[in-house]
Amino acid sequence: MTTKQDHVLIFDTTLRDGEQSPGATMTHAEKLEIASLLDEMGVDIIEAGFPIASEGDFAAVSEIAQNAVNSTICGLARAQIGDIDRCWEAVKHAKSPRIHTFIGTSPLHRAIPNLNKDEMAERIEQTVSHARNLCDNVQWSPMDATRTEYDYLCRVIEIAIKSGATTINIPDTVGYTAPRESADLIKRLIEDVPGATDVVFATHCHNDLGMATANSLAAVEAGARQIECTINGLGERAGNTALEEVVMALKVRNDIMPFQTGIDTKKIMHISRRVSTVSGFAVQFNKAIVGKNAFAHESGIHQDGMLKNAETFEIMRPEDVGIAGTSLPLGKHSGRAALRAKMADLGFELGDNQLKDIFVRFKELADRKKEVFDDDLIALMRDHAAGEQSDRLKIKSLKVVCGTEGPQTADLVMEIDGEDRSTQATGDGPVDATFNAVKALFKHQAHLQLYQVHAVTEGTDAQATVSVRMEEDGKTATGQSADTDTVVASAKAYVNALNRLLIRRETTEIGYDTKTVRYTDAN
Ligand code: KIV
Ligand code: ZN
């Protein structure tokens, strides 16, 4: 006999709290794509952005709201009438819109806008009532709740509920709490605050002490019915609760945590890869659920056990999170049908035109590389998507001379705003020479913050994935590219980062920048 289990709402904030992570800028098209994947995978609420932050954020939230099929679309707003109005303008076309408004309630956060407890309480009453007059679905968050005096927290939550909030979110903004404390707090609030049983309590954890998943699950066991999370745990500092971890924990350990979510877990791997690609944040190899090694069994004992019975060392099946079973690599004799089928296994449904383009790239790669593995194809799709953007800067050709006799020299042709330009530059090594050539053709003040190379697969003919992070005036952007030639991949990743930085320059000219807006700025 199956008993009806409580539903836990999944609130994804990859496009707001995740995108806020320095360097994780996404383009408008990428935000729309991620939102549509979240919607398809069964996320209940998508926090699509912070509409007051910039024209770009506003445009993304509005378009996501208009396109959403099943998910509720939420926008973030500070406790200010102007923020809330702007947020409503952006989400109001959604079938199911939500306004999320917040203010920092802990002593440290109250000190910044210089509001005393009574003044802040009054602000909460005014802003939540205003939001509720616009929208039936209002979420309120006391930022830094886990470091707010308990009595004051109860007082402001009661005010928010009386003013019309329908969801009360309890953020552990700095990742300070621990599982038992997280559970106690939710339990006590639900018992002590008048009206608490009429609203949904949410948990929003950060991972500074590596406890975000545990804290979120503990909160659910204590009565929270909404988990706020991001794909791959993307987010500032150590990130947010990872969606894939809480969802799979509830599924695999449903015997002791009998709660259900609406997530189609088979879609997890694909969205994880897309978020990693578009944010430029690589997933660590041993990351739970979505890391490259999460289902790899290296040691002899483990491999032997796995061959006899997969359950010996596996608590969930790779297929459950959308990892295709072991499959043979493709090669230069593989045809379009094989490529299309393999791409579909990897979560990419290719239309006829897209298949035509990808097939050309695949053949080029297969000519240089004997075996084309799944990871090669994923990297190829990522480069294809990056190439589809209308970039201002493009690498046309690159020739590098390197070896023991310096100086290393790069001959580069680049298209800049539709015009071909060429130069030669030297440097301390081939990559340095190449970056100097880019800089000579496109002068900029951005600093290189990170340069990282990973082999996509094994062997000397493996593709290299290069990640480059650039910083300019406090704004950061990450670019990635893959190629069997590490220097070519480096040049493309560098130019990709510059293109993203240019987008950030354009989208943050008006209004605030989500990466620099002061959340505690009350007026
Ligand atoms: O971590 C936090 O406190 C937040 C709030 C804006 C909800 O992200
Ligand atoms: Zn947060």
Side-chain angles (χ1 to χ4, degrees):
M1 190 184 78
T2 51
T3 46
K4 195 167 160 1
Q5 298 187 343
D6 266 11
H7 186 85
V8 172
L9 297 164
I10 297 296
F11 176 109
D12 180 278
T13 183
T14 306
L15 297 173
R16 200 277 299 168
D17 223 352
E19 213 249 353
Q20 208 170 295
S21 187
T25 315
M26 298 178 199
T27 64
H28 184 81
E30 288 165 351
K31 288 182 188 174
L32 297 191
E33 183 202 338
I34 299 300
S36 118
L37 294 175
L38 292 169
D39 192 353
E40 272 170 33
M41 90 187 292
V43 162
D44 299 279
I45 305 111
I46 300 173
E47 187 162 54
F50 190 15
I52 193 82
S54 70
E55 290 297 324
D57 249 44
F58 179 84
V61 178
S62 331
E63 208 169 327
I64 291 169
Q66 285 163 46
N67 294 347
V69 180
N70 299 310
S71 308
T72 293
I73 303 301
C74 171
L76 184 70
R78 289 173 301 180
Q80 297 182 30
I81 301 298
D83 272 40
I84 293 169
D85 288 344
R86 191 79 177 136
C87 178
W88 175 239
E89 278 306 306
V91 297
K92 71 179 181 195
H93 298 295
K95 281 188 199 141
S96 167
R98 174 181 292 190
I99 296 174
H100 176 194
T101 181
F102 74 98
I103 194 161
T105 50
S106 66
L108 283 167
H109 282 267
R110 287 199 305 267
I112 298 168
N114 200 16
L115 293 178
N116 66 32
K117 286 184 175 173
D118 292 338
E119 287 163 345
M120 182 166 282
E122 200 177 315
R123 173 78 73 84
I124 293 163
E125 204 242 300
Q126 284 164 356
T127 49
V128 175
S129 310
H130 183 72
R132 184 58 200 262
N133 285 336
L134 298 170
C135 181
D136 285 344
N137 190 338
V138 173
Q139 170 165 329
W140 181 73
S141 297
M143 186 165 69
D144 207 13
T146 51
R147 294 191 301 168
T148 299
E149 306 91 319
Y150 183 71
D151 288 350
Y152 189 59
L153 190 59
C154 289
R155 176 177 164 199
V156 285
I157 292 175
E158 184 180 350
I159 292 172
I161 295 174
K162 284 202 175 120
S163 308
T166 44
T167 299
I168 298 293
N169 178 36
I170 303 299
D172 182 29
T173 305
V174 290
Y176 178 69
T177 198
R180 200 178 317 143
E181 190 183 61
S182 169
D184 280 354
L185 181 60
I186 297 287
K187 184 170 173 291
R188 286 179 69 197
L189 288 172
I190 294 175
E191 278 165 9
D192 293 346
V193 177
T197 47
D198 302 332
V199 298
V200 172
F201 269 74
T203 173
H204 176 114
C205 299
H206 282 262
N207 203 28
D208 298 66
L209 293 171
M211 293 192 279
T213 295
N215 291 339
S216 304
L217 294 172
V220 166
E221 290 188 294
R225 287 294 174 269
Q226 173 176 302
I227 300 180
E228 307 212 351
C229 47
T230 60
I231 301 292
N232 299 339
L234 189 69
E236 270 187 292
R237 309 184 310 276
N240 289 56
T241 302
L243 179 147
E244 62 278 7
E245 292 179 13
V246 284
V247 166
M248 288 312 291
L250 291 177
K251 187 175 163 104
V252 174
R253 295 313 312 272
N254 196 259
D255 54 332
I256 54 166
M257 293 181 285
F259 304 98
Q260 44 124 339
T261 72
I263 300 295
D264 176 355
T265 62
K266 290 194 165 59
K267 299 211 185 309
I268 284 179
M269 206 56 210
H270 179 60
I271 192 164
S272 159
R273 288 178 183 136
R274 291 301 296 142
V275 167
S276 165
T277 298
V278 302
S279 66
F281 275 59
V283 175
Q284 78 190 50
F285 281 12
N286 58 343
K287 161 89 181 61
I289 319 291
V290 290
K292 199 175 158 74
N293 292 352
F295 292 92
H297 298 274
E298 197 75 45
S299 82
I301 292 184
H302 282 213
Q303 284 180 347
D304 184 50
M306 285 294 295
L307 288 173
K308 290 186 177 126
N309 178 355
E311 279 180 29
T312 327
F313 287 104
E314 230 169 47
I315 56 167
M316 54 199 152
R317 295 172 312 158
E319 305 88 274
D320 294 342
V321 297
I323 299 175
T326 23
S327 54
L328 296 174
L330 299 184
K332 68 176 171 190
H333 299 299
S334 307
R336 274 167 212 259
L339 180 66
R340 194 199 285 262
K342 175 61 78 100
M343 286 299 196
D345 274 354
L346 295 173
F348 302 101
E349 295 296 341
L350 302 183
D352 288 345
N353 287 340
Q354 218 184 2
L355 178 67
K356 225 159 119 189
D357 288 356
I358 295 289
F359 191 66
V360 173
R361 284 170 181 251
F362 160 71
K363 282 285 174 188
E364 281 166 11
L365 183 63
D367 275 340
R368 287 186 279 152
K369 221 175 160 286
K370 223 172 94 210
E371 294 177 312
V372 178
F373 296 97
D374 292 1
D375 287 341
D376 288 318
L377 294 172
I378 292 162
L380 193 137
M381 280 305 292
R382 185 186 54 222
D383 271 20
H384 171 71
E388 277 191 331
Q389 286 164 210
S390 46
D391 288 339
R392 286 182 56 192
L393 316 176
K394 285 183 187 134
I395 300 277
K396 295 296 281 286
S397 76
L398 173 67
K399 196 186 245 169
V400 178
V401 178
C402 63
T404 50
E405 307 299 316
Q408 284 75 25
T409 315
D411 278 296
L412 176 70
V413 182
M414 245 171 78
E415 187 187 304
I416 303 177
D417 293 329
E419 211 179 287
D420 281 1
R421 308 232 193 112
S422 60
T423 194
Q424 185 178 76
T426 55
D428 196 2
V431 174
D432 193 44
T434 305
F435 287 7
N436 287 341
V438 173
K439 210 165 172 180
L441 289 179
F442 184 75
K443 303 236 176 324
H444 60 83
Q445 299 303 320
H447 302 286
L448 184 70
Q449 268 195 340
L450 171 106
Y451 171 71
Q452 221 167 47
V453 184
H454 286 296
V456 174
T457 55
E458 281 149 28
T460 49
D461 67 348
Q463 291 200 92
T465 288
V466 177
S467 304
V468 168
R469 189 179 314 139
M470 312 281 292
E471 185 267 338
E472 182 193 60
D473 293 338
K475 301 184 182 87
T476 51
T478 309
Q480 282 191 334
S481 190
D483 200 283
T484 47
D485 185 321
T486 311
V487 184
V488 172
S490 304
K492 287 189 189 161
Y494 186 75
V495 166
N496 188 217
L498 280 176
N499 277 315
R500 283 169 177 268
L501 214 47
L502 292 175
I503 296 172
R504 291 214 54 208
R505 262 194 212 161
E506 283 157 21
T507 54
T508 54
E509 264 163 16
I510 312 164
Y512 301 97
D513 174 4
T514 28
K515 307 291 195 296
T516 51
V517 68
R518 295 199 308 278
Y519 274 13
T520 40
D521 180 5
N523 240 329

